[in-house]
Amino acid sequence: MPILQVTFALRVPVADFARIVADAAPHYASIPGLRWKIWLVDAVQARAGGVYLFDDDASLAAYLAGPLAARLATAPFQSDLRVQRFDVLEDATALTRGPLGDAPARAA
């Protein structure tokens, strides 16, 4: 399972970013092959981003080639976009209770 780490500098106040995220989250929840995404923000450093766990490389590649990633790359609320792909060391992560299983069921 690949992990995607995305970080960027914020060009808007954190409260404005939180509203943007609230609107965007349902779209991210429907990405095929995305097990989960953790949204990140550092108000002191004015940086934000996310950590994504995908089922496989094909799902991650499809996300990166799709419209949500394209919108993020050109979003006016961010600059200094950094995107890194990692593999998960599953055995060690399981020992430290990393959330590698399926995401919890979504509320209807």
Side-chain angles (χ1 to χ4, degrees):
M1 289 178 279
I3 290 265
L4 185 68
Q5 178 183 329
V6 175
T7 59
F8 47 85
L10 280 176
R11 295 176 130 180
V12 298
V14 170
D16 291 351
F17 180 66
R19 284 189 287 279
I20 292 166
V21 164
D23 290 341
H27 300 286
Y28 281 82
S30 65
I31 294 171
L34 177 65
R35 289 189 178 218
W36 49 253
K37 176 180 180 179
I38 297 173
W39 300 80
L40 308 171
V41 68
D42 178 343
V44 173
Q45 297 294 318
R47 291 197 63 82
V51 178
Y52 310 59
L53 178 68
F54 286 89
D55 286 335
D56 50 42
D57 287 323
S59 298
L60 187 153
Y63 164 72
L64 289 175
L68 288 174
R71 274 189 233 138
L72 175 60
T74 61
F77 63 77
Q78 67 84 16
S79 65
D80 189 29
L81 180 64
R82 300 175 189 178
V83 178
Q84 293 180 278
R85 184 212 173 280
F86 297 91
D87 289 316
V88 175
L89 297 173
E90 293 185 37
D91 292 341
T93 300
L95 285 172
T96 56
R97 296 176 298 284
L100 296 182
D102 290 332
R106 296 185 184 114

